[in-house]
């Protein structure tokens, strides 16, 4: 029998309300509890259509409920580790909003605890389930683009400024999780450089630029900002055979693939000749729109959580994937503290 999994969702705020909606709409889950300090706000999010779902400000009610098999944590990042530890210690499967924890050390403790208890641990790296990202990963992994050389990613807007994390841990976490999903076997991140700005001097970076160095000599360049007057979400990947561009805000042509011809060809030359030689540039050709799955990413993420629990197999964005992103985030923060010096990943 396909019995729904009893689940409690902790946090009914900005992201929690999206998770609540998707879990309520899934036939794989039965939302037993919504936990939030503001019970009135949680009741508004839940609405009147789900009278069987209970609301509480005390997470213990959900942790002690034997009908709750899984806990979803959508609270400030600094609380993820403690709430996650309590959920796993209570024998509950765990889904955590990104990032997995506020430090790699705390994240590792969650990974180890889940393994000891035989429980599913999953991180909500939502973009990894989006149709465009799945398509980009396929293009990289099936070598349609050739070997990836350069990745450009821009995620800027004037909008929500979080108080629990800075712009790197909020916005760049998305791009780093996408990058980790894109890289084919044999290519990994070697080091991270980052610089950021805190123009309001409140202790939180509002804008940052990251350079992520790959083991094949490639480079991923990531720009994030909470202070831009315009909103942009774009990613380009340039490979040895072709390139692809994704505009997440362009409804008409979100993903365009470009072939190219021409290669820089200097040939043997004296230093005097080389200083005046014009290099023939690459010419991009054969621009083609590429279709992709338009299913809401959160819906697919929720389905993946159910599949992992019911089959006792690792989800796509498991604890190990969350740790990869955490290590890059910590490296970026350390680089900022050292004025952009490269920080190698352990």
């Amino acid at each position: 029998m396909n019995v729904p999994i009893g689940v409690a969702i902790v946090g009914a705020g900005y992201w929690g309300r999206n998770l609540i909606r998707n879990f309520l709409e899934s036939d794989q889950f039965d939302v037993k509890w919504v936990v939030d300090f503001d019970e009135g706000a949680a009741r508004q999010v839940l609405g009147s259509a789900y009278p069987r779902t209970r609301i509480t400000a005390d997470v213990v009610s959900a942790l002690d409920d034997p009908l709750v098999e899984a806990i979803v944590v959508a609270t400030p990042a600094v609380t993820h580790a403690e709430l996650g530890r309590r959920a796993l210690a209570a024998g509950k499967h765990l889904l955590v909003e990104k990032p997995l924890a506020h430090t790699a050390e705390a994240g590792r403790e969650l990974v180890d605890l889940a393994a000891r208890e035989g429980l599913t641990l999953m991180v909500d790296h939502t973009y990894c389930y989006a149709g465009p990202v799945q398509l980009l990963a396929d293009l990289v992994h099936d070598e349609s683009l050739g070997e990836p050389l350069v990745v450009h990613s821009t995620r800027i807007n004037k909008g929500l400024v979080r108080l629990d994390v800075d712009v790197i841990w909020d916005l760049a976490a998305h791009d780093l999780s996408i990058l980790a999903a894109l890289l084919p076997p044999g290519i990994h991140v070697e080091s991270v450089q980052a610089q950021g700005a805190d123009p309001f001097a409140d202790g939180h970076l509002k804008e940052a630029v990251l350079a992520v160095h790959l083991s094949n000599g490639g480079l991923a360049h990531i720009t994030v900002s909470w202070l831009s007057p315009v909103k942009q979400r774009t990613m380009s990947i340039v490979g040895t055979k072709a390139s692809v561009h994704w505009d997440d805000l362009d409804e008409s042509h979100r993903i365009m693939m470009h072939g190219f011809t021409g290669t820089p060809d200097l040939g043997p030359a004296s230093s005097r000749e080389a200083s005046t030689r014009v290099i023939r540039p690459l010419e991009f050709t054969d621009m083609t729109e590429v279709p992709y799955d338009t299913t809401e990413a959160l819906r697919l993420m929720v389905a993946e959580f159910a599949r992992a629990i019911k089959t006792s197999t690792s989800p796509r964005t498991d604890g190990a994937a969350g740790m990869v992103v955490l290590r890059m985030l910590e490296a970026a923060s350390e680089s900022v503290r050292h004025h952009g010096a490269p920080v190698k990943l352990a």
Side-chain angles (χ1 to χ4, degrees):
M1 294 179 61
N2 188 21
V3 180
I5 301 164
V7 64
I9 301 172
V10 185
Y14 172 75
W15 195 245
R17 67 188 62 189
N18 294 316
L19 289 166
I20 290 169
R21 173 176 57 82
N22 276 273
F23 274 94
L24 287 172
E25 292 174 354
S26 171
D27 60 4
Q28 300 293 307
F29 288 94
D30 181 8
V31 181
K32 300 291 187 182
W33 294 88
V34 171
V35 183
D36 197 280
F37 288 130
D38 189 339
E39 293 185 49
R43 191 166 287 107
Q44 283 188 334
V45 171
L46 191 62
S48 60
Y50 301 94
R52 292 174 51 212
T53 300
R54 302 167 72 179
I55 296 172
T56 180
D58 185 4
V59 70
V60 173
S61 299
L63 294 176
D64 287 348
D65 187 341
L67 297 180
V68 171
E69 302 171 67
I71 299 288
V72 177
V73 174
T75 56
V78 71
T79 66
H80 289 182
E82 175 60 19
L83 286 171
R85 183 193 61 77
R86 293 175 67 182
L88 292 169
K92 316 296 187 183
H93 302 289
L94 177 63
L95 171 66
V96 183
E97 177 192 1
K98 61 84 182 169
L100 172 59
H102 61 294
T103 67
E105 180 181 2
R108 172 51 61 188
E109 291 176 358
L110 292 181
V111 172
D112 291 344
L113 179 56
R116 287 198 303 271
E117 298 296 329
L119 295 166
T120 296
L121 172 58
M122 180 171 168
V123 187
D124 178 16
H125 288 310
T126 308
Y127 275 97
C128 292
Y129 298 91
V133 173
Q134 286 301 298
L135 174 60
L136 295 180
D138 288 343
L139 291 173
V140 173
H141 287 230
D142 69 13
E143 300 184 354
S144 295
L145 304 180
E147 185 175 341
L149 300 177
V150 179
V151 177
H152 293 282
S153 188
T154 301
R155 188 177 301 271
I156 62 175
N157 62 271
K158 181 182 179 182
L160 181 69
V161 175
R162 293 179 56 166
L163 301 178
D164 59 327
V165 293
D166 64 20
V167 72
I168 292 177
W169 284 70
D170 180 29
L171 297 187
H174 290 303
D175 303 279
L176 294 173
S177 67
I178 294 171
L179 178 64
L182 293 178
L183 293 181
I187 299 178
H188 62 272
V189 173
E190 286 196 336
S191 65
V192 179
Q193 292 178 267
Q195 291 185 318
D198 176 17
F200 302 144
D202 60 6
H204 284 77
L205 299 177
K206 307 297 186 299
E207 182 145 350
V209 177
L210 287 69
V212 182
H213 300 271
L214 307 179
S215 58
N216 69 333
L219 176 70
H221 186 273
I222 298 170
T223 301
V224 290
S225 176
W226 283 332
L227 302 178
S228 172
V230 296
K231 185 175 183 178
Q232 293 182 23
R233 290 181 184 172
T234 62
M235 176 172 282
S236 298
I237 306 171
V238 179
T240 53
K241 295 180 181 178
S243 67
V244 65
H245 179 74
W246 167 36
D247 186 340
D248 192 36
L249 303 181
D250 184 349
E251 295 290 344
S252 59
H253 296 93
R254 282 191 173 177
I255 296 186
M256 303 299 295
M257 191 168 175
H258 306 254
F260 54 73
T261 61
T263 55
D265 182 15
L266 287 176
S270 67
S271 58
R272 182 178 62 81
E273 291 173 328
S275 66
T276 59
R277 181 166 295 174
V278 177
I279 301 174
R280 178 164 55 95
L282 297 175
E283 296 180 2
F284 291 90
T285 62
D286 305 323
M287 187 170 67
T288 306
E289 183 178 359
V290 189
Y292 57 89
D293 185 354
T294 58
T295 305
E296 183 181 2
L298 268 179
R299 181 177 178 181
L300 296 174
M301 187 277 300
V302 168
E304 175 72 353
F305 189 40
R307 184 203 64 77
I309 292 172
K310 292 186 175 184
T311 62
S312 298
T313 56
S314 293
R316 189 184 308 164
T317 53
D318 60 6
M323 287 301 301
V324 170
V325 176
L326 269 183
R327 285 193 290 268
M328 288 192 281
L329 289 170
E330 285 199 333
S333 295
E334 183 178 347
S335 179
V336 170
R337 290 192 295 270
H338 291 85
H339 310 289
V343 176
K344 290 187 176 182
L345 263 65

